[in-house]
Amino acid sequence: MYNLLKEKMQGIKVSLDDEQLKQFHRFYEMLIEWNKVMNLTGITEYEEIVEKHFVDSLSIVKCLDMSCVNKIIDVGTGAGFPGIPLKIAFPNIEVVLLDSLNKRIRFLNNVIDELGLINIYTIHGRAEDFARKEDYREQFELCVSRAVANLSTLSEYCLPYVKIGGMFVSYKSGNIDDEMLESKKAVQVLGGRIDKIVKFQLPNTDIKRSLVKIEKVKDTGKKYPRKSGIPAKEPIR
């Protein structure tokens, strides 16, 4: 199993030592164990989890030099993607995992303890609420999200966390062109600028993915994010 994981990671030019391989494997085991009692992932086969969760999470290296990042927040982390794989692969980074479901936070805290990860924290709540708190607003060099929402909505959730000069990277499916056009105004209003879009296929699969890299060029206006539920119901157009 370690050989498969190592080989898949080499496909995106990410090298892992023996300890990191063990951590990824234990993370997989915990996903399967906890998935029996709560809905964490619809994917349970080892190779699929490696490809669609682990490799996908680390594919950010295609658009960003992670050695230049010190502090990141993963908004809507769910079962810990991409935040946990990023922490395992780049242990010097400080990571904050945000999710609105407390049972997922309990799972993540158990993973953090079991894997012996340090300088990684979980917060339970809505993105709209924590983005207004001084300790979190515009405090991060990088915000990441694999959450399922349109880019206009995600930008309103995520860009308020990013400091000027930092980045928001949204993990998306392959067909992103229409969504990109619809989100341009929202990105601009929220203080961002679309820097690049990286389209690719996960190694040795036919799964098409896109990474949207948005640079924070000015402060996000105080009215954003709007109250809970509004960014999803009424995206900025």
Side-chain angles (χ1 to χ4, degrees):
M1 282 189 173
Y2 286 5
N3 287 338
L4 173 68
L5 178 56
K6 202 168 185 176
E7 178 187 320
K8 295 288 185 182
M9 289 299 179
Q10 285 172 347
I12 56 168
K13 297 182 171 59
V14 171
S15 297
L16 303 173
D17 62 25
D18 288 344
E19 179 61 25
Q20 289 167 316
L21 290 169
K22 288 177 185 176
Q23 287 175 320
F24 269 111
H25 186 67
R26 183 58 187 138
F27 185 23
Y28 158 75
E29 291 179 331
M30 293 185 74
L31 270 172
I32 299 304
E33 288 167 14
W34 284 67
N35 205 51
K36 292 173 183 175
V37 294
M38 58 187 287
N39 183 25
L40 290 170
T41 177
I43 301 166
T44 55
E45 293 297 323
Y46 180 74
E47 185 168 359
E48 278 198 289
I49 284 180
V50 168
E51 289 172 348
K52 296 178 182 178
H53 285 327
F54 296 169
V55 174
D56 186 59
S57 292
L58 295 179
S59 64
I60 195 172
V61 299
K62 293 180 175 290
C63 75
L64 197 64
D65 181 358
M66 291 301 294
S67 67
C68 298
V69 178
N70 295 309
K71 188 175 181 180
I72 75 173
I73 184 167
D74 178 5
V75 172
T77 187
F81 302 112
I84 295 282
L86 288 172
K87 180 61 182 178
I88 295 172
F90 307 103
N92 294 327
I93 295 173
E94 179 181 328
V95 176
V96 174
L97 306 173
L98 169 65
D99 200 82
S100 61
L101 277 185
N102 197 43
K103 61 183 181 180
R104 288 199 288 248
I105 294 294
R106 288 202 308 272
F107 166 70
L108 295 171
N109 285 334
N110 274 270
V111 170
I112 289 166
D113 290 343
E114 179 73 18
L115 272 54
L117 302 175
I118 59 172
N119 215 17
I120 179 170
Y121 311 97
T122 60
I123 48 177
H124 170 230
R126 290 183 173 276
E128 304 99 310
D129 298 332
F130 276 91
R132 293 195 167 276
K133 296 180 184 290
E134 192 176 333
D135 289 347
Y136 297 97
R137 190 176 182 88
E138 298 188 331
Q139 296 298 310
F140 297 87
E141 294 160 282
L142 176 63
C143 177
V144 292
S145 184
R146 287 209 320 169
V148 179
N150 71 68
L151 191 58
S152 297
T153 300
L154 275 179
S155 295
E156 188 167 349
Y157 290 151
C158 293
L159 278 170
Y161 289 99
V162 182
K163 61 174 65 176
I164 293 176
M167 298 287 170
F168 162 43
V169 175
S170 176
Y171 291 65
K172 287 288 184 180
S173 61
N175 188 11
I176 190 71
D177 295 345
D178 290 343
E179 193 174 337
M180 286 298 306
L181 288 172
E182 291 175 358
S183 70
K184 278 188 174 180
K185 182 178 179 182
V187 170
Q188 184 178 19
V189 166
L190 295 160
R193 180 183 65 83
I194 296 172
D195 181 53
K196 69 166 79 169
I197 304 158
V198 178
K199 297 181 179 182
F200 62 98
Q201 285 187 196
L202 291 176
N204 304 313
T205 76
D206 58 359
I207 300 168
K208 295 180 180 180
R209 301 289 283 149
S210 294
L211 295 168
V212 183
K213 182 183 176 187
I214 298 171
E215 182 183 4
K216 184 72 171 283
V217 294
K218 62 180 181 180
D219 290 335
T220 301
K222 290 183 179 179
K223 67 178 286 188
Y224 301 108
R226 292 167 292 168
K227 290 182 180 179
S228 178
I230 295 177
K233 291 177 185 175
E234 302 173 18
I236 300 167
R237 294 290 190 227

